[in-house]
Amino acid sequence: METSSNGVIERDFTVGEVPGVLWSPASGADRAPLVLMGHGGGTHKRWPAMTGRARLLVTHGGFHVACIDAPGHGDRPRTAYDEQEIDAMLRARAAGEPEGPIVVRYNAHLAERAVPEWRAALDALQELPEIGADGPVGYFGLNMGTATGVPFVASDPRITAAVFGLHWPDALAGTAQQITVPVEFAMQWDDEHIPREAGLALFDAFASKEKTLHVNPGRHKELPRFEADSALRFFVRHLGRAVM
């Protein structure tokens, strides 16, 4: 399905059994860089935050933007393991116990499944003439999007810049040490789930010579909306605008 509104073309696609959506400029240069977006836990490819970020990147950066549903999310069925881990998180929440250890474990499992799916999606997207196989590619993912994105970016040399944030270092620090592309990282100073030391440890783990830490006051879900504007400027700086 394809729709167009306010200068943005929105197209559904499927790679194997993985559904996704591609947002593109309705007009402009023949070729443009691509930004891949990983959504957060419990959300999906068309979650309002994802749609809003995608439209910002398209209309103000001239980028193509793509998002796929993570395993067990959106239009994808849950496995028995998915249900087991989600139940464990809900029980911990109801009991006032830390959810972090469960989230870290479950997200690491999801990443094992998601990384090859991201590679396949990128393969397919680069076959489109308006994207191509030689253009720059960025990755933008917070929360679970960081958990799946760090191993993806570390393993795929096509990604040339990445925005991460809001996750624990436990299962990611070792992999983050393999990442050398420019990174922008966001964390919340008063995050009730992720201690400051944990967020700082993950930022410190990236081996990138150019990496920027953005820290804002507030709780886990209070990341300021202006951080999306910062991500836009970051990708314009490192990916460039639309290419002829």
Side-chain angles (χ1 to χ4, degrees):
M1 183 178 70
E2 177 177 318
T3 61
S4 179
S5 65
N6 298 319
V8 179
I9 297 173
E10 185 174 308
R11 290 173 279 180
D12 291 312
F13 66 88
T14 303
V15 178
E17 298 180 352
V18 180
V21 58
L22 174 65
W23 294 269
S24 300
S27 62
D30 293 335
R31 296 280 302 282
L34 171 66
V35 176
L36 304 174
M37 290 199 309
H39 64 76
T43 69
H44 53 77
K45 61 186 180 296
R46 278 197 171 86
W47 193 253
M50 305 307 291
T51 300
R53 291 170 189 161
R55 289 185 168 273
L56 177 69
L57 290 166
V58 172
T59 57
H60 292 277
F63 302 121
H64 297 285
V65 182
C67 184
I68 60 175
D69 280 331
H73 288 71
D75 295 323
R76 303 184 63 182
R78 292 177 178 173
T79 65
Y81 183 80
D82 293 331
E83 296 287 2
Q84 173 185 316
E85 291 290 70
I86 292 168
D87 287 345
M89 282 188 284
L90 293 176
R91 288 196 303 272
R93 186 177 304 168
E97 299 173 352
E99 301 174 38
I102 303 168
V103 175
V104 167
R105 180 182 68 215
Y106 181 43
N107 282 357
H109 170 78
L110 293 178
E112 292 180 359
R113 296 156 62 186
V115 169
E117 295 172 351
W118 267 121
R119 289 199 197 103
L122 180 52
D123 289 344
L125 290 165
Q126 287 188 321
E127 291 180 0
L128 297 174
E130 62 268 38
I131 295 175
D134 57 348
V137 182
Y139 181 86
F140 186 0
L142 306 175
N143 298 296
M144 189 183 76
T146 287
T148 56
V150 167
F152 171 50
V153 173
S155 66
D156 199 313
R158 292 175 290 183
I159 311 301
T160 55
V163 175
F164 297 120
L166 301 174
H167 209 278
W168 296 261
D170 306 53
L172 297 178
T175 307
Q177 292 172 357
Q178 303 171 34
I179 293 178
T180 59
V181 300
V183 166
E184 184 169 288
F185 188 88
M187 60 177 282
Q188 290 296 92
W189 200 240
D190 309 297
D191 196 314
E192 70 275 25
H193 299 300
I194 306 171
R196 296 172 184 175
E197 296 77 11
L200 292 170
L202 181 52
F203 171 75
D204 190 50
F206 291 103
S208 310
K209 290 184 178 180
E210 181 179 336
K211 58 180 181 180
T212 305
L213 175 64
H214 285 201
V215 182
N216 289 282
R219 293 165 65 84
H220 185 73
K221 293 186 177 181
E222 295 175 348
L223 185 73
R225 290 189 177 184
F226 59 68
E227 287 296 346
D229 298 318
S230 178
L232 166 66
R233 293 191 297 270
F234 173 83
F235 286 123
V236 167
R237 188 163 67 250
H238 292 290
L239 304 182
R241 288 182 174 270
V243 293
M244 299 301 292

